[in-house]
Amino acid sequence: MYAEVKRLLETNEPLRCANSALSDLIEESPYIANLKDAQTQKYIQDNLVDVKCLGLETVDTIVGLTDLDCIFSKWDFGSPAFEHWRQNEAETVKKLDDQVKDTQCPVTNQRPVFSSEGFVLITSTIKLPILSPHTDKKVAILTYSQDLTLQKNLFDLLELYRKYYPEQQAIKQLLIYLDIDGYFAELPTLEEMQTLFSIPQESDCSDEISNALLCNLKDNGE
């Protein structure tokens, strides 16, 4: 089927032009972007953003694979909630792809996903059908996913990590994701994390509100 998709993309002028534009879009996108065979749902093309998120080295690694084959099937972060996500993620993606095929219309979705480092990411995804201009045959599915994680409120992000990890592991993973884990000699408590996230940028440890907790955080960082 991959050969048939390639033939359709190369021999039909409208699709050949679209293929060039899609290839550029996928390769140059700052977000996850990939193209799948509409029938087999195997990857035809992917970009480095997606490959990095999956913990792979090159884009060629994923070509010809399905989501069931992808590397996240081998991940293990020691969390029952993550295990539930892993067991259901491939089927979730398949249902979205099937919806695109059945309706021939774009499908949007926003949901948490995991990266190969165990980070919980909020992605906004749109899937688009790529059709043959002569037969109306669904040739491929274009997926474009934007990472919205850093747009989330930090309190909400903390609660999201607590949903998927035990409390201390959630705090540790979030600190690593935010690249502030090196500021702490000891892992902050949940209460200290909540206090940290409540500090306005102009505040300091002289504030009377939660002063003891703030100073503990300062001491941990020294």
Side-chain angles (χ1 to χ4, degrees):
M1 182 62 190
Y2 172 71
E4 173 66 9
V5 170
K6 186 175 181 181
R7 184 190 69 78
L8 285 169
L9 291 174
E10 290 180 348
T11 59
N12 291 298
E13 184 67 31
L15 282 180
R16 185 164 68 245
C17 295
N19 185 41
S20 176
L22 285 174
S23 294
D24 290 344
L25 172 65
I26 292 169
E27 291 178 4
E28 298 174 11
S29 171
Y31 307 113
I32 290 173
N34 59 62
L35 193 68
K36 291 181 188 174
D37 180 315
Q39 301 305 315
T40 66
Q41 297 184 2
K42 292 182 178 181
Y43 284 83
I44 297 172
Q45 185 179 1
D46 206 348
N47 68 359
L48 288 173
V49 180
D50 198 14
V51 165
K52 182 178 179 181
C53 188
L54 292 171
L56 303 175
E57 293 183 1
T58 66
V59 294
D60 294 336
T61 310
I62 200 172
V63 173
L65 300 180
T66 67
D67 286 290
L68 281 173
D69 301 323
C70 283
I71 194 69
F72 64 71
S73 64
K74 302 176 183 179
W75 299 345
D76 184 5
F77 302 129
S79 161
F82 163 76
E83 185 63 27
H84 181 268
W85 173 87
R86 182 173 64 174
Q87 292 176 358
N88 290 276
E89 176 64 6
E91 184 61 28
T92 297
V93 175
K94 184 179 183 303
K95 287 180 179 179
L96 294 172
D97 288 341
D98 287 342
Q99 187 176 347
V100 174
K101 288 196 303 179
D102 293 341
T103 64
Q104 298 188 19
C105 295
V107 172
T108 60
N109 174 264
Q110 187 173 130
R111 71 188 191 282
V113 300
F114 279 79
S115 72
S116 60
E117 297 97 336
F119 299 138
V120 187
L121 309 176
I122 302 298
T123 60
S124 178
T125 300
I126 181 169
K127 289 179 172 287
L128 302 162
I130 307 299
L131 308 177
S132 165
H134 304 296
T135 64
D136 255 359
K137 182 179 180 180
K138 294 172 284 293
V139 177
I141 298 172
L142 172 66
T143 299
Y144 189 81
S145 295
Q146 183 177 1
D147 183 357
L148 303 179
T149 312
L150 290 178
Q151 297 180 24
K152 293 280 288 184
N153 179 284
L154 288 176
F155 289 100
D156 293 339
L157 200 55
L158 177 59
E159 290 307 305
L160 180 64
Y161 270 78
R162 291 181 67 206
K163 175 181 177 181
Y164 286 101
Y165 288 110
E167 187 169 291
Q168 288 196 327
Q169 190 178 359
I171 292 171
K172 181 178 180 180
Q173 284 290 99
L174 181 54
L175 289 175
I176 294 173
Y177 174 74
L178 297 173
D179 197 23
I180 58 174
D181 56 302
Y183 290 98
F184 301 96
E186 297 179 3
L187 194 67
T189 65
L190 176 61
E191 188 177 13
E192 288 171 340
M193 287 288 288
Q194 292 170 336
T195 301
L196 175 64
F197 290 161
S198 70
I199 304 172
Q201 290 184 347
E202 64 272 12
S203 297
D204 57 36
C205 201
S206 63
D207 294 338
E208 293 184 3
I209 300 175
S210 301
N211 185 63
L213 288 173
L214 292 174
C215 288
N216 283 338
L217 285 169
K218 179 181 177 182
D219 291 341
N220 281 343
E222 291 178 349

